Amino acid sequence: MSTVQQEESTEVTKTRGDSGGSLGVVRNLGLVIALVILCVVGVMTSGDQFASKDNVITILRLASVVGVVSIGMTFVITGGGIDLSVGAILALSSVWATTTGTQSMADDYGWIVMVLSALLVGTACGLINGIVIAYGKVVPFIATLAMLASARGLAEIIADRKTQIIRNQGFTDFFGAEPLGIPVIVIMFALVVVGGWFLLNRTTFGRRTFAVGGNPEAARLAGIKVQRHTVYLYALAGLTCGIAAVMLMSRTTTGSSTHGTLLELDAIAAVVIGGTLLSGGRGTVVGTLFGVLIFTTLTNVFTLNNLSTSSQNVAKGVIIVVAVLLQQRIANRKT
């Protein structure tokens, strides 16, 4: 048993994320350079309009929602899984938190009721995903695809395909505030990033996540309860969807079954661009942060220059393919 544990420890050290030595530093440096190049292009093409404080805040606002979901996705992919249902879970969380009944309770007990509703619904959906995958032995792609359809459909039924307006003034006042000129949702994003980095790189939970994603059988022999840990990972992803739902509700002052459409693709793309291996075993929260900022800045530059969304999608697709090819090249070198 001690030999297996030693092998697991060695594997984790090789495949860990933001603290993974020179490879991680080089990877993150490359992302920083890419982001700087995008910013230079933005300044050259849009001038002060791009470099203005208001535009920087706009970029951070847009990055916040997909960024929080991407942190949860980082844990799932690092653990060897995938989650296609995050956008639908966000939509269901936002709808549940803005129903007439929930908002009536919020009027009586405070806006925290709406927040807790979103968090609980998101976490519950994540738990269901985890249980079906870990104990039902359903492959993650199929299980989360089923959740995508079910959660989106349930959101449409609850909302009757209508947009639900947030009436609670306390909720909008709190989450719409800008202490020191920084929007609350941007502060929330920063806190999730810091918390995610600490959890992945400085705790036993993070080490187990790397072990489960790198070699589930070795992790099991080392005493890690792989199935239970898998459930935790998907529950965590669901929780981040609930947090993102609250953030999107504050931005739009609505709950809708259309919220989060195709968000799962943006989240997976940001995670892959950041350097997390799709095969599991290696993940980086810092890389995911840069991946989110790169995509959001790219979208902002295209928007300021009146370029079509079709062109944006082509550019994103090229970036994703290049990132995956680079990952494969690095993996081949290591082997």
Side-chain angles (χ1 to χ4, degrees):
M1 180 66 72
S2 59
T3 302
V4 174
Q5 288 176 328
Q6 186 177 5
E7 290 175 354
E8 178 209 347
S9 177
T10 302
E11 181 68 20
V12 170
T13 301
K14 290 179 180 178
T15 59
R16 63 185 182 179
D18 304 305
S19 303
S22 59
L23 178 61
V25 173
V26 172
R27 183 174 60 244
N28 290 336
L29 180 60
L31 294 171
V32 171
I33 293 172
L35 183 58
V36 170
I37 292 173
L38 276 177
C39 290
V40 171
V41 172
V43 172
M44 291 176 61
T45 56
S46 302
D48 293 339
Q49 188 177 7
F50 175 84
S52 67
K53 178 184 175 182
D54 289 342
N55 190 58
V56 172
I57 293 297
T58 297
I59 292 174
L60 292 176
R61 283 182 187 273
L62 294 175
S64 295
V65 173
V66 64
V68 168
V69 174
S70 298
I71 297 301
M73 187 72 77
T74 300
F75 278 85
V76 169
I77 294 179
T78 301
I82 195 74
D83 193 343
L84 302 180
S85 64
V86 290
I89 292 175
L90 183 152
L92 179 58
S93 299
S94 74
V95 166
W96 204 302
T98 55
T99 60
T100 301
T102 304
Q103 293 202 61
S104 295
M105 291 180 63
D107 291 337
D108 295 332
Y109 301 104
W111 53 262
I112 193 65
V113 172
M114 299 171 64
V115 174
L116 291 176
S117 295
L119 299 184
L120 289 173
V121 170
T123 305
C125 290
L127 278 172
I128 293 172
N129 275 339
I131 291 171
V132 171
I133 292 166
Y135 296 100
K137 304 299 183 182
V138 178
V139 295
F141 182 90
I142 298 300
T144 57
L145 186 63
M147 177 59 74
L148 182 156
S150 301
R152 187 75 69 181
L154 183 57
E156 291 175 350
I157 292 171
I158 294 174
D160 195 23
R161 294 179 179 270
K162 297 177 182 177
T163 299
Q164 300 176 162
I165 306 299
I166 295 176
R167 304 185 311 272
N168 189 283
Q169 194 61 41
F171 180 92
T172 54
D173 287 345
F174 181 84
F175 289 100
E178 296 186 6
L180 302 176
I182 304 174
V184 167
I185 63 171
V186 175
I187 296 174
M188 292 172 64
F189 176 34
L191 292 174
V192 170
V193 169
V194 172
W197 180 89
F198 182 83
L199 185 62
L200 188 61
N201 294 282
R202 292 292 184 268
T203 67
T204 302
F205 184 89
R207 290 192 293 273
R208 289 174 177 173
T209 300
F210 290 123
V212 169
N215 191 328
E217 182 60 21
R220 185 187 67 81
L221 294 174
I224 297 175
K225 297 185 183 300
V226 175
Q227 290 176 309
R228 187 169 66 182
H229 192 81
T230 299
V231 173
Y232 290 159
L233 291 175
Y234 282 93
L236 178 61
L239 176 62
T240 60
C241 290
I243 296 172
V246 173
M247 297 164 71
L248 190 55
M249 286 158 52
S250 71
R251 267 181 49 198
T252 62
T253 65
T254 63
S256 173
S257 59
T258 61
H259 281 339
T261 302
L262 298 181
L263 181 63
E264 54 277 354
L265 301 184
D266 289 337
I268 293 171
V271 172
V272 172
I273 290 299
T276 297
L277 286 179
L278 278 173
S279 56
R282 189 185 79 197
T284 161
V285 170
V286 173
T288 296
L289 170 62
F290 283 121
V292 171
L293 292 177
I294 286 172
F295 273 129
T296 308
T297 303
L298 178 68
T299 299
N300 183 260
V301 170
F302 273 64
T303 301
L304 290 178
N305 288 280
N306 297 317
L307 297 174
S308 68
T309 55
S310 299
S311 300
Q312 295 178 34
N313 291 333
V314 171
K316 288 181 179 179
V318 171
I319 292 172
I320 292 169
V321 170
V322 171
V324 172
L325 289 176
L326 288 175
Q327 282 193 5
Q328 291 177 344
R329 186 174 180 180
I330 292 172
N332 290 335
R333 283 183 177 180
K334 290 176 69 177
T335 57

